[in-house]
Amino acid sequence: AEEFWRQQSVCILVDGSTVATDLWEATRSRGADVNAVPASATADISADVIVSVLSDEAMGSEAKQRFDNVTDLLASVAAGLPLSTSSDAPQTVIFLQRRSAHSDYLDWGYDGFAAALHLERKGLRFRVLTVDEAVDSDQLCAMIAREVETDVRYDAARYFGKTRRIARPQILARNALTRRAKQLDASDVVLVTGGARGITAECALALARETGAHMVLAGSSPSPADVPDSPNSAEIAKTLERFSSEGLSAEYCQSNLTDRDDVARLVAAARRRTGRVSAVIHGAAVNRPQRAHKVSAGDARNEISPKLIGALNLFDALKDDPPAIFCAFTSVIGVTGMPNNAWYAFANQALDRSL
């Protein structure tokens, strides 16, 4: 590791944490040519090794504050990184996340975001390095050196002490899953977000056929009964008609999932029938494909909020009487990445971790 650092030019994107300061001092003491740049004001970054320090401690104590800070920093980093690099002078970008405990539901990672970026940036290599609070700067230097010296274009490693673990997706056999004690029936109410259109509507209809449960289909569009000429009214009305034609029970409620008070009203409306919500299917999502460096932090939040903040608001609204089942639809993009989908990948991974 000592020899490695003497050969490197390093740019540390600083998030304001002690981790960033300690890492700057440690790499400098090892002979690296180190430059430190605020992660919130990146532009035209150039170095052999670019370390974006994204420590949990720097993101704040409240969920809303952390959400805003994480999206601000990621948008800035994505905009400032090179769009490509020569194969003769490879650059490695490391997203360094040092975890710390927090008391609310919001959790996130950078794996999906970085996986998408590596598919957009020709020649750049990406690493995600997740460590706990006990890891010091000397250990970090050794870990970073190890990650940079591997040959792959993208990898994400989690260190538990000195043990390096790599997550690898695998297919679960359905017959190996444990049957839940709670099975839905006609006495239950299921709240389905994004449930009046698309694949989530099809899943809600299939579940209603199997269980007879009452479906409360929630969406951002106005109710067809109130605004029959709105762009999505015909599709919502057709979905409700399909339930009715099969003798199944369903209703539609308009709700802004990013508004905590509106979600509380939605849950209250869903509980009117039996007094509680037995299950939630959270299928609401927005996907606006775009190269990551072209997406502002505000646009990113608008895209990911229905899926991620929507879930957090549902958690809060339901915490006094939690449902037996809370199921959310996420995407494999949150694991593999996809060009033009860095923020969609981030939202899916963050929702998975928050669940």
Side-chain angles (χ1 to χ4, degrees), residues 47-353:
D48 299 328
V49 180
I50 301 168
V51 184
S52 179
V53 180
L54 298 157
S55 181
D56 289 5
E57 71 177 73
M59 300 305 164
S61 57
E62 301 294 327
K64 177 65 165 62
Q65 181 186 27
R66 297 204 312 279
F67 176 71
D68 288 346
N69 287 340
V70 169
T71 48
D72 281 343
L73 290 179
L74 276 185
S76 176
V77 170
L81 290 175
L83 298 181
S84 63
T85 188
S86 166
S87 58
D88 298 330
Q91 291 177 286
T92 303
V93 180
I94 295 178
F95 287 84
L96 173 60
Q97 182 177 22
R98 191 169 81 161
R99 306 299 341 239
S100 60
H102 44 80
S103 58
D104 53 47
Y105 302 119
L106 177 61
D107 198 2
W108 69 95
Y110 303 107
D111 309 40
F113 191 87
L117 279 186
H118 104 273
L119 297 170
E120 296 181 6
R121 309 293 170 105
K122 184 178 179 181
L124 271 71
R125 303 187 307 166
F126 285 83
R127 305 286 186 271
V128 180
L129 182 55
T130 306
V131 301
D132 59 36
E133 290 178 291
V135 173
D136 61 29
S137 56
D138 290 333
Q139 292 171 309
L140 277 179
C141 284
M143 291 171 180
I144 292 171
R146 176 179 180 175
E147 298 302 324
V148 173
E149 289 181 320
T150 58
D151 236 359
V152 295
R153 283 212 44 221
Y154 165 78
D155 218 341
R158 178 77 187 262
Y159 280 82
F160 297 85
K162 293 183 178 180
T163 303
R164 180 181 187 265
R165 296 183 183 271
I166 302 290
R168 293 289 182 246
Q170 62 188 70
I171 296 173
L172 294 177
R174 184 176 178 183
N175 59 9
L177 301 177
T178 303
R179 184 174 175 84
R180 292 178 180 271
K182 168 63 180 175
Q183 297 298 310
L184 300 173
D185 58 36
S187 66
D188 291 306
V189 171
V190 180
L191 174 58
V192 189
T193 69
R197 302 168 55 220
I199 191 171
T200 312
E202 297 299 327
C203 291
L205 184 59
L207 185 62
R209 287 171 181 151
E210 187 169 324
T211 65
H214 176 73
M215 299 287 155
V216 178
L217 311 178
S220 58
S221 300
S223 168
D226 298 331
V227 188
D229 297 328
S230 76
N232 298 318
S233 285
E235 188 175 359
I236 296 170
K238 184 177 178 180
T239 297
L240 293 171
E241 184 182 336
R242 291 174 68 193
F243 277 86
S244 178
S245 68
E246 296 186 35
L248 301 171
S249 179
E251 63 182 291
Y252 178 77
C253 294
Q254 182 183 12
S255 181
N256 176 5
L257 293 180
T258 67
D259 185 303
R260 185 173 179 173
D261 292 337
D262 212 23
V263 173
R265 286 190 288 270
L266 170 65
V267 169
R271 285 172 168 168
R272 278 199 294 263
R273 187 179 182 91
T274 64
R276 75 183 307 266
V277 171
S278 298
V280 174
I281 300 175
H282 181 44
V286 175
N287 184 11
R288 299 189 179 116
Q290 178 68 281
R291 294 285 180 180
H293 68 280
K294 295 182 178 180
V295 182
S296 69
D299 287 343
R301 285 192 280 270
N302 289 338
E303 178 178 352
I304 66 182
S305 285
K307 180 181 283 286
L308 181 54
I309 299 303
L312 301 181
N313 287 336
L314 285 165
F315 296 164
D316 279 334
L318 291 159
K319 65 185 177 184
D320 63 327
D321 186 12
I325 302 167
F326 194 113
C327 170
F329 291 171
T330 59
S331 170
V332 73
I333 292 172
V335 177
T336 63
M338 178 180 276
N340 303 324
N341 281 272
W343 286 107
Y344 190 65
F346 175 84
N348 280 279
Q349 185 184 21
L351 174 56
D352 181 55
R353 291 197 174 184

Side-chain angles (χ1 to χ4, degrees), residues 5 8-12 27 32-36 46-51:
W5 288 109
Q8 305 298 324
S9 62
V10 181
C11 181
I12 297 178
T27 52
D33 177 13
V34 189
N35 183 30
S46 180
D48 299 328
V49 180
I50 301 168
V51 184

